[in-house]
């Protein structure tokens, strides 16, 4: 997904970056781009850049393998025991809401997979087989993990 690639590029990290690396890169960039370091000139640009850096950091933390490992038990329980309450698809992002109150976003989901989900006799069974274990996801409820 372009958003993931852009955020990794902005922070200068790879796909395998650990939470500690993300945190140190984030702190370093924030020291450079913090708006308080700028006078009138460049302050607006620094504010925008720092907002983008913060958004990128929180997003990448939410999809990091360590974050997903921390919440794997809850994710597994939700996807195997709870039924789907609703789902929506927008720009290759599938948001699935469950009856237990949890919601997850799945990234880079092809439109063809979404169409099959909509037309499936059992959307829950289809999602368990073809979506829940195949795509990068993040919890919508817990957008920031303990990093």
């Amino acid at each position: 997904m372009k958003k993931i690639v852009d955020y990794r590029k902005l922070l200068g990290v790879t796909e395998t970056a650990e939470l500690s690396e993300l945190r140190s890169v984030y702190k370093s960039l924030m020291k450079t781009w913090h708006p308080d370091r700028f006078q009138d000139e460049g302050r607006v640009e620094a504010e925008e850049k720092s907002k983008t850096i913060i958004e990128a950091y929180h997003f990448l933390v939410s999809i990091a393998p360590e974050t997903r490992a921390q919440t794997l038990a809850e994710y597994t329980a939700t996807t195997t025991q709870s039924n789907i309450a609703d789902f929506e698809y927008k720009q290759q992002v599938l948001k699935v809401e469950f009856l237990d109150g949890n919601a997850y976003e799945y990234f880079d989901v092809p439109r063809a997979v979404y169409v099959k989900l909509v037309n499936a006799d059992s959307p829950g069974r289809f999602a368990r087989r073809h979506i829940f274990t195949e795509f990068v996801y993040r919890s919508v409820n817990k957008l920031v993990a303990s990093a």
Side-chain angles (χ1 to χ4, degrees):
M1 172 178 202
K2 186 169 176 22
K3 185 177 185 178
I4 296 171
V5 172
D6 289 346
Y7 283 163
R8 285 185 179 137
K9 190 174 181 180
L10 173 69
L11 296 184
V13 296
T14 64
E15 203 173 306
T16 59
E18 294 183 6
L19 291 178
S20 58
E21 181 184 351
L22 283 172
R23 183 176 40 249
S24 67
V25 168
Y26 165 73
K27 286 182 177 183
S28 173
L29 285 171
M30 286 308 294
K31 285 179 186 176
T32 304
W33 286 101
H34 197 283
D36 290 347
R37 294 195 60 190
F38 293 85
Q39 299 302 322
D40 294 335
E41 297 175 22
R43 188 174 182 90
V44 173
E45 178 189 355
E47 287 175 356
E48 291 302 316
K49 184 80 169 180
S50 66
K51 286 178 186 176
T52 306
I53 292 168
I54 291 167
E55 183 181 328
Y57 170 71
H58 287 293
F59 182 85
L60 291 177
V61 165
S62 72
I63 66 167
E66 291 172 84
T67 304
R68 289 188 301 191
Q70 289 173 2
T71 60
L72 183 61
E74 181 183 357
Y75 176 75
T76 303
T78 295
T79 58
T80 58
Q81 298 170 5
S82 184
N83 288 327
I84 295 174
D86 195 16
F87 54 86
E88 71 177 272
Y89 183 78
K90 189 177 193 181
Q91 298 176 344
Q92 291 192 318
V93 176
L94 176 66
K95 181 180 176 184
V96 178
E97 296 175 14
F98 294 88
L99 291 175
D100 68 357
N102 288 318
Y104 294 92
E105 288 180 329
Y106 298 87
F107 300 97
D108 291 334
V109 177
R111 182 151 184 80
V113 172
Y114 171 70
V115 169
K116 288 179 181 179
L117 173 67
V118 170
N119 294 323
D121 290 337
S122 172
R125 184 173 57 223
F126 178 86
R128 280 190 287 282
R129 291 180 180 171
H130 302 288
I131 295 173
F132 297 157
T133 58
E134 300 297 319
F135 297 99
V136 173
Y137 67 89
R138 74 174 183 165
S139 172
V140 176
N141 302 6
K142 300 171 187 142
L143 291 180
V144 180
S146 55

